[in-house]
Amino acid sequence: MSSDVKTFIKGRGTSDNILGRFEKTQSHLEDEYAYEATYEAQIHTEVRYERAKSLITSNTSPDVPFRLSVNPYRGCEHGCIYCFARPSHAYIDLSPGLDFETKLTAKINAPNVFERELCNIRYQCQPIALGINTDAYQPIEKQLNITRSLLEIAYQYKQPISLITKSALITRDLSLLEKMAAENLVQVAISITTLDNDLKRILEPRTASGHTRLNLVKALSERRIPTTVLAAPVIPFVNDHELESIVHQSAEAGAQSAHYIMLRLPHEVAPLFTDWLHTHLPDRAEHVLSRIKDMRGGQLYDSQFGKRMTGEGIYADLIRQRFHLAIKKTGLSGERMLPLDCSLFRIPPKSGDQLSLI
């Protein structure tokens, strides 16, 4: 990809609509049920509704602390240029670039499908991670309330849920999350990439500021909702110098634990991030890319389990040492939080059932 001519769309992570790896021609979303976001933007956000056939998905990755997950949305308006989920848009014939953050899909029947799957006789309760591929609290959730409905169902069934977000919208659901936490049914992870607002505006343009996210940690912790902070992603020569500050201020805000993840550049994310570097940080772009390759066996990405989250080599080891020293100084745990309680799971009686009258 040539970096000679750069364009920039205010409020978007990228202006590049690169082709997905499965298509030869670009596609454009046209849907009679699409709507546009209510705020002003140079390029409007389009949302279409999808009726999902299934919702709960499983994985066998040893790098993540969950096996089951639910994603109510495809694409994410937050526009984080580094988002590892961008390549998923290629599966629906849309670009992992600008399309990913402007052409979204809402699984409008997700609550009904979720309840049906929880009632399945073959379902065995275990924690479900909500909003892993794309943020469950991205801006369109404010109008659609799909995540809220999923949480209400989870609480009704006593289904344990883990959440990860970088959105202040989660405060809307504090009362519900507090009730779930009282029964050890929920854990929340707040992702904090940077405390520098100027960097945030170009790196993850439609997210809450780093200091707002620290306030989220405080609000969650005050409600006794188990909260961890993810310093993620750590990017060489971009935000790596903030690692200790993020850990320290997270501890002050009341986080119970902290973790970090090194920058990952799978598939189309690599050319998008490379273009972003040359657009916004041209003076250090090649230096950043060189250091990333040092951590990834000479490539921009290494998908091997056990390495893809942390990298390898001298720089990766240095980040690991800095992180562990930081959590030691602050008293934060670097371990995964205690398991959620699956023993309470039940299928509640429906209205009119004999049991509902007892």
Side-chain angles (χ1 to χ4, degrees):
M1 180 183 302
S2 173
S3 60
D4 293 333
V5 179
K6 303 296 178 186
T7 58
F8 174 65
I9 299 174
K10 186 177 181 180
R12 297 298 182 182
T14 180
S15 59
D16 197 337
N17 234 5
I18 65 171
L19 294 179
R21 60 197 180 281
F22 304 121
E23 60 178 326
K24 296 180 180 179
T25 59
Q26 287 182 317
S27 300
H28 298 281
L29 176 64
E30 292 183 1
D31 192 317
E32 60 179 319
Y33 298 108
Y35 83 174
E36 293 183 348
T38 57
Y39 50 81
E40 293 183 358
Q42 291 182 348
I43 292 185
H44 292 291
T45 299
E46 300 176 45
V47 182
R48 67 177 176 183
Y49 299 140
E50 172 186 275
R51 300 194 65 81
K53 295 181 179 179
S54 62
L55 199 68
I56 301 175
T57 59
S58 63
N59 76 86
T60 57
S61 170
D63 291 331
V64 295
F66 60 87
R67 193 178 76 83
L68 302 182
S69 62
V70 163
N71 292 286
Y73 302 106
R74 299 182 192 273
C76 186
E77 196 175 357
H78 282 159
C80 305
I81 189 60
Y82 53 77
C83 183
F84 70 90
R86 282 182 178 273
S88 63
H89 244 42
Y91 290 105
I92 55 175
D93 294 328
L94 291 172
S95 170
L98 188 61
D99 282 353
F100 178 78
E101 51 192 280
T102 61
K103 299 183 186 298
L104 314 180
T105 300
K107 301 175 185 179
I108 200 65
N109 66 332
N112 291 336
V113 177
F114 187 47
E115 190 166 12
R116 184 188 71 206
E117 292 179 336
L118 292 181
C119 289
N120 192 307
I121 193 171
R122 293 189 295 273
Y123 177 70
Q124 295 183 339
C125 180
Q126 55 186 293
I128 293 177
L130 177 57
I132 295 302
N133 209 40
T134 56
D135 202 314
Y137 283 104
Q138 59 178 290
I140 58 172
E141 167 63 18
K142 187 173 183 179
Q143 288 106 4
L144 299 182
N145 291 299
I146 299 175
T147 296
R148 171 74 187 197
S149 296
L150 294 174
L151 288 175
E152 290 172 340
I153 292 168
Y155 184 54
Q156 185 181 14
Y157 282 71
K158 307 302 180 184
Q159 166 63 52
I161 295 288
S162 63
L163 284 164
I164 178 171
T165 186
K166 55 187 68 173
S167 171
L169 184 56
I170 193 175
T171 58
R172 179 198 64 187
D173 297 334
L174 281 178
S175 295
L176 176 57
L177 294 173
E178 184 178 23
K179 290 192 291 186
M180 294 180 71
E183 299 183 53
N184 193 24
L185 293 174
V186 73
Q187 296 171 348
V188 177
I190 300 297
S191 173
I192 301 179
T193 312
T194 179
L195 300 177
D196 180 339
N197 282 338
D198 290 334
L199 177 59
K200 185 214 77 73
R201 278 191 285 269
I202 57 174
L203 187 63
E204 39 186 30
R206 297 199 176 200
T207 62
S209 70
H211 291 286
T212 296
R213 292 182 226 179
L214 289 172
N215 288 334
L216 295 181
V217 174
K218 183 178 181 181
L220 290 161
S221 299
E222 288 177 345
R223 297 284 190 114
R224 298 188 178 182
I225 301 166
T227 307
T228 190
V229 165
L230 290 178
V234 177
I235 308 173
F237 309 118
V238 176
N239 70 342
D240 56 348
H241 62 285
E242 297 187 72
L243 183 61
E244 287 82 0
S245 180
I246 290 173
V247 170
H248 176 75
Q249 294 191 52
S250 297
E252 288 188 333
Q256 285 83 51
S257 62
H259 305 276
Y260 77 96
I261 300 175
M262 296 301 303
L263 176 69
R264 298 164 55 192
L265 298 175
H267 302 299
E268 294 90 351
V269 185
L272 286 167
F273 183 76
T274 299
D275 186 68
W276 178 89
L277 278 174
H278 285 289
T279 300
H280 296 286
L281 304 172
D283 58 323
R284 69 187 94 162
E286 292 304 322
H287 200 26
V288 173
L289 295 172
S290 177
R291 187 53 54 90
I292 292 172
K293 291 177 181 179
D294 288 343
M295 291 190 295
R296 304 295 186 183
Q299 305 297 317
L300 286 177
Y301 185 56
D302 182 354
S303 62
Q304 292 184 68
F305 291 145
K307 294 181 180 180
R308 60 182 182 153
M309 300 295 192
T310 57
E312 59 182 339
I314 295 174
Y315 176 78
D317 288 341
L318 176 61
I319 293 295
R320 187 178 301 111
Q321 293 168 17
R322 285 175 53 194
F323 174 77
H324 286 295
L325 181 60
I327 62 171
K328 183 178 180 180
K329 286 182 176 179
T330 58
L332 286 178
S333 170
E335 302 299 322
R336 292 175 178 173
M337 287 190 281
L338 294 175
L340 295 169
D341 189 354
C342 294
S343 68
L344 301 176
F345 180 82
R346 64 185 179 86
I347 298 177
K350 301 296 183 183
S351 176
D353 289 352
Q354 289 295 319
L355 286 176
S356 68
L357 302 177
I358 297 177

